[in-house]
């Protein structure tokens, strides 16, 4: 059998751009019978060759989101005027950005659209309330399929939420397939939100709290920059113990997994409300707030590893935060184990999530469950996503 080609696309909670990969999967092992999927915790993950199909990245591409679209996506995280129409238009614009990245991947690889089995496109989360039985990602997969001539797998979270799960994190099954189970490893994604995959048997994973989200929001509010490049601003400040204590008192942080979160909770408004509780003569300068937000991310991640994965010997970081030397140095000092990146294991830090969605698209096409009950808390494993034919 020939290799199968899949594209993965990801625009995460940081809303800075779209990352895409085109991956080749060698023929994998046989999928489990469809009628048994409800009772599985994806045991096929134990066979890494079967689970990954010996995947390789043939091309990678990124594109920034237009400023106006980024601002609209951020605004749509809160109720507003005419938001249904605005959300539909933003979804179309996002699909057009996705299509641009797909064209770049095809150009780099020399492959034709007809040779690609499917695109995995997560979309942009603007509401996430699994406790209320819903999650909402802006996306226009039919438009993407129309513009690229390639089938699209999207809406990855809904079925797991319907089965009583969090619908997130979505990538632990891929982490297990790519980086192995039972190896004393954990994978840490440092996007807007930090999520941790513990590569035990069974695989576990959950959000630990903010990674870059609050730092991005704060520097944009005070400096007009999309993010704190290399952590330079945070490095100039000093952590404010009183503010840190208030932030760490957030009840969500004390919840046990399974759990997931996003902008619905950790927003600029959330931060401003807690700053307002400090005495007026004890409110930190903006640069010290940034240093405190970095400490919040570091401390909540380190605490999650200590509490839920004390036997972990190595953490593999990925996502934009893995490129922040100040963040990584602070994490290295705080963690009770070795910190490295996924690049050491052959996957560039900016490609991990996009590659995960190529893998999730493949899992959907093969009928393999990739939302794991031990991760999401669902009643049973589910096949993630819905297919929009080319």
């Amino acid at each position: 059998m020939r290799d199968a080609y899949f594209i993965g696309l990801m625009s995460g909670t940081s809303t800075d751009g779209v990352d895409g990969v085109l991956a080749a999967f060698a023929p994998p092992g046989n999928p489990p019978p469809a009628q048994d999927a409800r009772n599985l915790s994806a045991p096929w993950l134990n066979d890494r060759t079967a689970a990954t199909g010996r995947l390789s990245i043939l091309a990678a591409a990124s594109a920034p989101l237009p400023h106006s679209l980024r601002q609209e996506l951020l605004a749509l995280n809160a109720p507003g005027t005419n938001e249904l129409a605005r959300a539909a238009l933003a979804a179309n614009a996002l699909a057009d950005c996705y299509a641009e990245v797909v064209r770049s991947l095809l150009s780099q690889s020399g492959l034709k659209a007809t040779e690609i089995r499917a695109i995995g496109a997560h979309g942009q989360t603007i509401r996430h309330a699994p406790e209320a039985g819903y999650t909402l990602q802006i996306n226009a997969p039919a438009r993407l399929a129309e513009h690229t001539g390639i089938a699209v797998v999207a809406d990855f979270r809904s079925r797991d939420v319907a089965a009583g799960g969090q619908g997130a994190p979505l990538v632990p099954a891929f982490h297990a397939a790519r980086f192995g189970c039972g190896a004393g490893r954990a994978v840490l994604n440092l996007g807007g939100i930090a999520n941790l995959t513990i590569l035990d048997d069974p695989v576990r994973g959950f959000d630990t709290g903010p990674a870059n989200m609050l730092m991005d929001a704060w520097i944009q509010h005070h400096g007009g920059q999309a993010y704190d490049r290399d952590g330079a601003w945070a490095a100039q400040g000093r952590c404010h113990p009183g503010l840190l204590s208030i932030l760490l008192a957030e009840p969500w942080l004390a919840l046990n997994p399974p759990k997931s979160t996003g902008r619905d909770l950790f927003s600029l408004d959330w931060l401003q409300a807690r700053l307002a509780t400090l005495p007026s003569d004890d409110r930190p300068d903006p640069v010290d707030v940034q240093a405190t937000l970095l400490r919040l991310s570091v401390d909540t991640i380190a605490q999650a590893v200590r509490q839920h994965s004390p036997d972990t010997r190595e953490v593999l970081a990925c996502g934009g935060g893995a490129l922040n030397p100040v963040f990584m140095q602070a994490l290295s000092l705080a963690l009770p184990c070795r910190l490295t990146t996924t690049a050491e294991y052959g996957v560039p830090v900016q490609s991990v999530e996009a590659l995960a969605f190529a893998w999730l698209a493949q899992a959907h096409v093969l009928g393999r469950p990739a939302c794991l009950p031990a991760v999401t808390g669902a009643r049973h494993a589910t096949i993630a996503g819905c297919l929009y034919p080319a």
Side-chain angles (χ1 to χ4, degrees):
M1 292 177 63
R2 295 171 41 188
D3 285 359
Y5 303 114
F6 288 82
I7 286 174
L9 300 172
M10 183 61 181
S11 53
T13 51
S14 294
T15 65
D16 51 352
V18 178
D19 294 318
V21 300
L22 194 161
F25 294 81
N30 294 324
Q35 66 269 23
D36 293 338
R38 295 171 65 89
N39 300 316
L40 294 175
S41 59
W44 52 277
L45 291 175
N46 294 327
D47 180 348
R48 289 185 63 197
T49 299
T52 64
R54 298 191 305 278
L55 78 92
S56 57
I57 297 175
L58 302 185
S62 298
L65 290 179
H67 179 73
S68 57
L69 176 57
R70 183 173 189 270
Q71 293 303 111
E72 182 70 303
L73 291 172
L74 291 172
L76 285 166
N77 279 269
T81 304
N82 200 29
E83 61 181 328
L84 291 179
R86 287 167 48 214
L89 292 172
N92 286 346
L94 182 61
D96 293 346
C97 292
Y98 284 168
E100 176 187 340
V101 173
V102 170
R103 286 189 287 270
S104 178
L105 293 169
L106 293 175
S107 176
Q108 286 183 50
S109 67
L111 293 171
K112 299 176 182 178
T114 53
E115 297 179 86
I116 309 301
R117 180 63 185 85
I119 297 168
H122 178 45
Q124 196 74 31
T125 300
I126 60 168
R127 297 285 195 283
H128 184 61
E131 70 284 353
Y134 74 90
T135 184
L136 180 60
Q137 287 72 48
I138 283 181
N139 202 355
R143 184 183 181 94
L144 180 58
E146 181 67 23
H147 286 358
T148 61
I150 303 171
V152 175
V153 181
D155 191 21
F156 287 93
R157 297 192 188 198
S158 293
R159 181 60 191 274
D160 184 82
V161 172
Q166 292 281 310
L170 285 166
V171 294
F174 165 73
H175 289 160
R178 180 59 183 80
F179 301 111
C181 293
R185 293 190 197 117
V187 180
L188 174 66
N189 178 55
L190 297 172
I193 292 294
N195 44 69
L196 184 70
T197 299
I198 301 167
L199 295 174
D200 288 344
D201 187 11
V203 178
R204 294 175 290 144
F206 55 94
D207 291 348
T208 65
N212 301 299
M213 180 181 293
L214 289 174
M215 290 188 284
D216 291 349
W218 189 248
I219 198 170
Q220 183 173 4
H221 180 65
H222 278 277
Q225 302 174 52
Y227 65 99
D228 186 2
R229 184 180 294 276
D230 294 333
W233 195 39
Q236 296 172 32
R238 298 172 59 185
C239 178
H240 186 283
L243 176 59
L244 180 62
S245 178
I246 292 169
L247 300 180
L248 288 171
E250 163 57 46
W252 184 91
L253 295 171
L255 295 176
N256 287 320
K259 62 179 183 176
S260 57
T261 190
R263 292 188 187 277
D264 304 72
L265 176 57
F266 292 108
S267 65
L268 187 60
D269 288 343
W270 178 88
L271 174 59
Q272 296 278 29
R274 281 146 186 80
L275 276 167
T277 66
L278 289 169
S280 58
D281 60 352
D282 190 34
R283 290 183 187 169
D285 292 335
V287 68
D288 293 334
V289 173
Q290 188 75 349
T292 305
L293 293 175
L294 175 64
R295 192 76 244 168
L296 171 70
S297 296
V298 168
D299 286 358
T300 50
I301 291 165
Q303 176 59 25
V305 173
R306 289 193 190 93
Q307 182 176 352
H308 299 290
S309 186
D311 297 328
T312 294
R313 298 190 299 274
E314 181 179 53
V315 172
L316 284 57
C318 59
L323 300 175
N324 181 331
V326 173
F327 198 169
M328 289 292 284
Q329 182 181 21
L331 264 178
S332 182
L333 293 172
L335 286 170
C337 56
R338 177 175 183 260
L339 175 67
T340 184
T341 72
T342 56
E344 186 172 311
Y345 288 83
V347 186
V349 298
Q350 288 288 70
S351 296
V352 174
E353 284 210 302
L355 184 58
F357 281 94
W359 184 89
L360 286 165
Q362 186 213 32
H364 177 92
V365 168
L366 294 176
R368 292 179 159 178
C371 283
L372 310 180
V375 171
T376 69
R379 292 183 292 274
H380 54 79
T382 59
I383 296 170
C386 297
L387 181 68
Y388 292 75

